[in-house]
Every structure is written in C-alpha cells, then in structure tokens.
Amino acid sequence: NCSANQGCDEQFLGDQFNAGATEISGVELSLNYQVDVADYEIPFQLNYTYTDAYFKNNHTSKMWGMVTAGDEIPYIANNQLALSTGIIRHNISINIQGKYTADTPTKAGSNDNLIPSRTVWDLSTKYKISDKQAIYLTIDNLFDKQYIANRSNGGIQVGKPQSIQIGFNATF
C-alpha cells in the first residue's frame, strides 16, 4: 500500500505494489540493567536491531523501478541502536536516550539519495507529586540535530526539530 509517509511518489499514492520475492531476516537484542547506589536507582537499557532485507528476484516495479536480485529493500535501515540511562531518587527521575539509525537506502539497487545515518538524543524528567499525579518535562532532539527523515514526493522531508513539552499526568 503506497502512502505519503512510505516514500511513494505522489502519482502512486493509494496504489498497492507487489515487491516480488523478498528475504527479510535479522537479530534483535535488548539488555536492561539497574544499579542501586544508596537512595539512587541508575537504569541502563540497550536495544539493537540488525535487519537484512533484500529482493530475491529481478523485476520492474512502478514503485521501485528496475529491481535486481540482491538489491536492498528501500527504507529499511540495516542497523538501529538505542541507548538510555538515567537516575531515579524517590519521586524524581531524569532520563537521557540516544537513538542511532544507519544510512538508509531510498531506491532499489542504488546508493544515490541515501538517508544519511543519524544519532538523536532525547531528555526527560518527571516529578511524582503522588502515586496518581506527576509533572514532566521532555526535550525531543535535545541538541536540535538537523537530519533527513525521508526522501519522497519529490523532495527531502526533515526530521523532527527540537521540541519541549511540559505536562501534568493524572491517573483516576
């Protein structure tokens, strides 16, 4: 199914395409660990995904153009990594997370117009007023990294710029 957020050209929006024979395999790894020091909790989390996705046959596609067996399937990054850590003390927590995405192809059989790799950092903090109420602050894209998120519909779509949210959570 072709939609604007999947990298389809405008003329193909709403159409469905058969990618032909494909092979998609990979490995996911998740590690979690927490260190307790006095009144502090220090959590660590690491998530890694390796994906090998490629076409298994030669064909011509309206969406992908000329496809040769062995071409990578566009818009699937081979490597993705997320690392987070923080500190928790009583009712206050602070967390930082970095997310890495490897170079990502946008066309079958071509390294032209790759989406370059990127690492984006986020920060969050929360203060629990009670078991049912909390205030929080989040900063997405902490260092205001400028990056390409998508190459479709005739142009570059930029990634999310730095954003700051302040809020209040209540559970009933």
Side-chain angles (χ1 to χ4, degrees):
N1 190 17
C2 183
S3 64
N5 66 344
Q6 290 179 312
C8 297
D9 287 331
E10 201 170 291
Q11 64 188 356
F12 300 127
L13 290 177
D15 291 350
Q16 292 188 357
F17 296 94
N18 184 339
T22 62
E23 174 103 6
I24 302 171
S25 60
V27 175
E28 291 188 357
L29 172 68
S30 181
L31 301 171
N32 295 294
Y33 187 72
Q34 181 171 302
V35 176
D36 295 326
V37 178
D39 288 344
Y40 297 91
E41 299 170 21
I42 304 169
F44 296 93
Q45 184 172 13
L46 175 105
N47 295 301
Y48 172 73
T49 302
Y50 170 77
T51 307
D52 187 22
Y54 60 91
F55 295 101
K56 290 180 69 174
N57 62 346
N58 300 332
H59 65 281
T60 302
S61 163
K62 285 183 185 179
M63 185 168 178
W64 307 119
M66 181 61 77
V67 174
T68 303
D71 287 350
E72 289 182 286
I73 298 174
Y75 288 99
I76 299 177
N78 291 104
N79 294 287
Q80 296 180 69
L81 176 72
L83 175 65
S84 68
T85 189
I87 191 162
I88 303 165
R89 183 166 191 265
H90 303 297
N91 56 346
I92 298 174
S93 64
I94 299 171
N95 187 63
I96 188 163
Q97 179 182 41
K99 295 172 282 191
Y100 167 79
T101 304
D103 290 344
T104 306
T106 61
K107 293 184 178 183
S110 173
N111 284 331
D112 295 341
N113 295 321
L114 282 175
I115 295 174
S117 66
R118 63 188 176 270
T119 301
V120 178
W121 293 90
D122 301 327
L123 180 74
S124 64
T125 186
K126 178 169 66 173
Y127 175 74
K128 288 177 68 176
I129 299 167
S130 70
D131 287 341
K132 297 189 179 236
Q133 298 178 32
I135 56 174
Y136 65 89
L137 166 73
T138 62
I139 304 173
D140 292 336
N141 196 354
L142 180 63
F143 302 112
D144 204 18
K145 170 100 173 160
Q146 294 182 359
Y147 62 94
I148 297 171
N150 196 351
R151 288 184 181 268
S152 64
N153 300 319
I156 290 173
Q157 296 173 2
V158 297
K160 182 180 180 179
Q162 184 182 71
S163 65
I164 300 172
Q165 298 174 343
I166 299 172
F168 172 79
N169 282 337
T171 304
F172 301 96

